[in-house]
Amino acid sequence: MAKREMYKYKAPWNIYGLNWSHKASKPFRLAIGSFVEEYSNRVQIVQLNESGGEFTVHSTMEHPYPTTKIMWMPEESDERPDLLATTGDYLRIWKVEEESTKMESLLNNNKSSEFCAPLTSFDWNTIDPSLIVTSSIDTTCTVWSLQAEREVGRVSGTVKTQLIAHDQEVYDVAFCRSTSLFASVGADGSVRLFDLRNLEHSTIVYEDGDATPLLRLAVNKQDSNYIAVMRMDDASVTLLDIRVPCVPAAKLTSHEAACNGIAWAPHSSCHICTAADDKRALIWDVSQIPKRQPEPILAYEAGGPINQVQWSTQAPDWIAIAYDDTLEVLRV
């Protein structure tokens, strides 16, 4: 049967969290998270049945508050368990089994208080999947070390380090292509680079001229010198080359409303996808920066403002977008 160009799934609620599975055996499995403005939210795992062209629901889990981010463990083989992580009030690790999903660990670094500072984002290290870094509105980033206890099949976590990363809330964090470097952005409008081998200092690689909060960043995993960042309520995306700090390498400026998502191609160092409130997902070729201003090479118009975009590592011809209650996977 010929593959279609697009598959669609309608969830029972508006979608915010979204991520592709990394398992080679499950390339069209995704996790999605609800965005409902109340305590009770959901995470759902859906699997594309390619012969029928429909998504089926593998499992649905209760989740307190909307997920601020969802990620599958970056592990291709089936030898290790299929783990999923979510952030919201805490970092949670979930184990996905044949027919169900259950929570393995709830990781809380603030033992001294009954109140938690919400986590805004996290990243799972692709080189060493025992490392996760989280960001919080309390100005800190925390690096967690996960341990899989093989005898009982459990996963637990301990704090490797916690550091004050910014002067104000930290909104996003991402590992570079290494086990020791990660970058963060926040309400103070700066991009900071940290090295776990030397936490006395951080490097400010960019500061927004108007001190506008930076909401998201995406590190180019094929070439970690390049970082894309997104300002609050801004239709453009700024590309940075950390070898030339403080000066943007380029700006991606074709969207007509606030940008909500950025995803670098997992298989190419010079392609990036952006998605925005103008209902469009754009793919850019940035191979000529900084000599030439990038232009979009592909555009897709969705049925509503797009609030999330993710590019599949196992099926790099496919991206996933979410708008309203709809998940769409698109062949690019």
Side-chain angles (χ1 to χ4, degrees), residues 60-61 74-75 103 127 136 141 146 171 196 232 250 258 263 266 289 298 316:
T60 304
M61 299 86 78
E75 172 69 49
M103 190 173 77
I127 296 172
S136 170
C141 289
L146 302 183
Y171 287 141
L196 288 174
M232 183 184 279
I289 64 168
L298 274 176

Side-chain angles (χ1 to χ4, degrees), residues 7 9 18-32 43-50 54-59 61 70-73 75 77-78 80-84 94-102 310-315 318-320 327 329:
Y7 298 95
Y9 170 69
L18 168 63
N19 199 239
W20 291 87
S21 169
H22 291 274
K23 294 284 187 197
S25 60
K26 306 262 188 328
F28 283 88
R29 175 182 273 189
L30 297 101
I32 55 175
V43 171
Q44 201 168 69
I45 293 170
V46 294
Q47 174 82 39
L48 179 65
N49 174 349
E50 285 183 72
E54 300 292 323
F55 276 100
T56 55
V57 176
H58 167 277
S59 49
M61 299 86 78
I70 298 176
M71 280 187 87
W72 294 85
M73 181 179 181
E75 172 69 49
S77 85
D78 286 326
R80 291 197 198 177
D82 209 0
L83 299 179
L84 185 73
W94 309 79
K95 188 175 182 182
V96 182
E97 298 184 320
E98 208 52 48
E99 292 178 0
S100 64
T101 302
K102 65 177 198 296
Q310 295 286 326
W311 205 317
S312 169
T313 54
Q314 283 302 323
W318 294 85
I319 64 166
L327 161 71
V329 299

Side-chain angles (χ1 to χ4, degrees), residues 98-165:
E98 208 52 48
E99 292 178 0
S100 64
T101 302
K102 65 177 198 296
M103 190 173 77
E104 282 287 293
S105 289
L106 185 150
L107 302 176
N108 170 20
N109 191 27
N110 190 3
K111 300 284 194 291
S112 58
S113 165
E114 60 189 280
F115 302 107
C116 60
L119 300 175
T120 50
S121 187
F122 74 98
D123 194 26
W124 209 321
N125 193 293
T126 52
I127 296 172
D128 179 0
S130 72
L131 296 176
I132 287 181
V133 60
T134 60
S135 56
S136 170
I137 64 165
D138 69 2
T139 77
T140 67
C141 289
T142 302
V143 179
W144 291 87
S145 177
L146 302 183
Q147 295 87 31
E149 299 161 32
R150 291 199 179 280
E151 300 73 46
V152 286
R154 295 278 303 165
V155 176
S156 60
T158 54
V159 174
K160 192 175 167 78
T161 188
Q162 183 179 35
L163 51 108
I164 293 172

